[in-house]
Amino acid sequence: MWSKLDPKRDIPALRRHLASYTLSNFLHGEQGALLATSQIVVAAPTPDAKFYAAAQVFDEARHVEAYDRYLREKLELVYPVSPYLKQLLDMILTDGRWDFKYLGMQVMLEGVALGAFGVIHSTTNEPLIKAITQSIMQDEARHVAFGVMALKDAYREMAANELRDREDFILVASRLLRDRFLSQEVWERLGLPQKECEEAAASSEGMRLFRKLLFSKIVPNVKRLGLLTPYVRKGFEELDVIEYESWEPSA
Ligand SMILES: [Fe+2]
Ligand SMILES: [Fe+2]
């Protein structure tokens, strides 16, 4: 498929669309984070957690603004939200339990974002998106760390049936986050063979490595919270996302 593409016309277009698809979904994720963290201000159980969440609301508003301007003024192309990401954002925003907002937004979604930003930061040659990504990464690392702190003791004495809800949520969220990176809408819009492209995206060596890097910030935190149970571990293995179990993120 790749060798049939015209290097002057098709490949630059494909690159622009893939960049826009990736960054557009960061924009939509940031909008979700803006809403979710404003809900955390309401739902968090302690004043400290509320103050911190309020600061995070402002961070997320700046992130939305930065990605929005970059997409409109530089790439001049914005993709709608991936249905997989949308489903996860809806789950986080409509669940009334405060710990699901932390677990979904700070541990899962921001964990994956941190992994993806790290890959973009170390591979892009474009100085503006490199600088934007670096600034946002510093904020997100703080957000993830705070989420883990806020949840530290939440699961220690939880009843098994309540805990199973959290385990299932982690696995459903992981599947949605994995599928959100397969660029489905890009293949469709550029008229490329949908099924073959999705299969190639799902099974290529590069994407397998990328997936494991994405989850390298999630798995250790799930473990830290006491949620890397045999049930969750088996689910991670089936999703092919577990590799860096105790790797300490440096960002
Ligand atoms: Fe953010
Ligand atoms: Fe964030």
Side-chain angles (χ1 to χ4, degrees):
M1 272 187 288
W2 179 260
S3 53
K4 276 190 225 147
L5 296 174
D6 179 336
K8 287 233 162 60
R9 195 194 55 208
D10 299 339
I11 290 178
L14 181 57
R15 291 212 161 108
R16 174 166 168 255
H17 278 257
L18 284 170
S20 170
Y21 169 83
T22 304
L23 297 176
S24 296
N25 280 294
F26 289 159
L27 167 67
H28 303 308
E30 297 290 359
Q31 296 189 78
L34 175 63
L35 297 179
T37 46
S38 64
Q39 291 182 340
I40 290 176
V41 175
V42 180
T46 65
D48 272 353
K50 287 180 191 291
F51 296 156
Y52 185 81
Q56 192 180 337
V57 170
F58 188 69
D59 287 346
E60 304 304 356
R62 290 187 293 113
H63 301 170
V64 171
E65 187 187 18
Y67 281 125
D68 176 59
R69 278 193 64 185
Y70 189 85
L71 282 158
R72 280 187 300 108
E73 294 177 18
K74 304 297 177 192
L75 287 178
E76 300 180 344
L77 176 67
V78 187
Y79 267 77
V81 61
S82 150
Y84 302 96
L85 178 61
K86 167 106 175 27
Q87 197 182 328
L88 178 58
L89 292 176
D90 286 342
M91 279 166 68
I92 295 169
L93 291 171
T94 56
D95 202 303
R97 292 166 288 188
W98 69 270
D99 71 295
F100 274 69
K101 298 193 189 296
Y102 275 113
L103 191 58
M105 186 48 70
Q106 266 107 331
V107 176
M108 303 299 298
L109 222 148
E110 295 190 316
V112 148
L114 213 44
F117 293 162
V119 173
I120 288 175
H121 184 257
S122 57
T123 55
T124 185
N125 296 318
E126 201 282 281
L128 178 57
I129 198 64
K130 199 180 182 81
I132 291 173
T133 308
Q134 179 159 30
S135 300
I136 294 182
M137 264 165 79
Q138 288 170 354
D139 289 347
E140 299 304 349
R142 216 166 51 232
H143 301 165
V144 173
F146 187 82
V148 172
M149 228 166 73
L151 288 174
K152 196 165 47 90
D153 298 320
Y155 302 121
R156 201 162 286 167
E157 314 226 304
M158 193 171 266
N161 62 328
E162 292 263 299
L163 211 55
R164 184 45 61 90
D165 280 355
R166 276 71 181 176
E167 295 176 297
D168 283 329
F169 176 73
I170 287 171
L171 294 178
V172 171
S174 296
R175 182 175 294 278
L176 292 169
L177 285 169
R178 183 195 64 170
D179 292 345
R180 162 252 179 279
F181 283 93
L182 297 179
S183 312
Q184 295 89 341
E185 295 93 317
V186 174
W187 321 128
E188 190 182 346
R189 198 182 287 193
L190 294 181
L192 291 163
Q194 185 78 20
K195 195 159 164 280
E196 286 96 314
C197 287
E198 274 183 41
E199 277 167 12
S203 64
S204 81
E205 244 342 277
M207 277 303 289
R208 281 196 64 204
L209 187 67
F210 181 53
R211 264 200 300 277
K212 285 183 174 157
L213 279 171
L214 291 184
F215 280 83
S216 69
K217 313 272 175 178
I218 289 185
V219 177
N221 284 335
V222 167
K223 189 176 181 181
R224 222 163 268 154
L225 297 175
L227 292 171
L228 190 58
T229 57
Y231 181 80
V232 171
R233 180 185 295 275
K234 184 165 168 286
F236 278 158
E237 278 164 6
E238 280 164 16
L239 290 167
D240 191 26
V241 296
I242 189 164
E243 175 119 343
Y244 301 103
E245 191 177 313
S246 54
W247 185 63
E248 289 296 322
S250 57

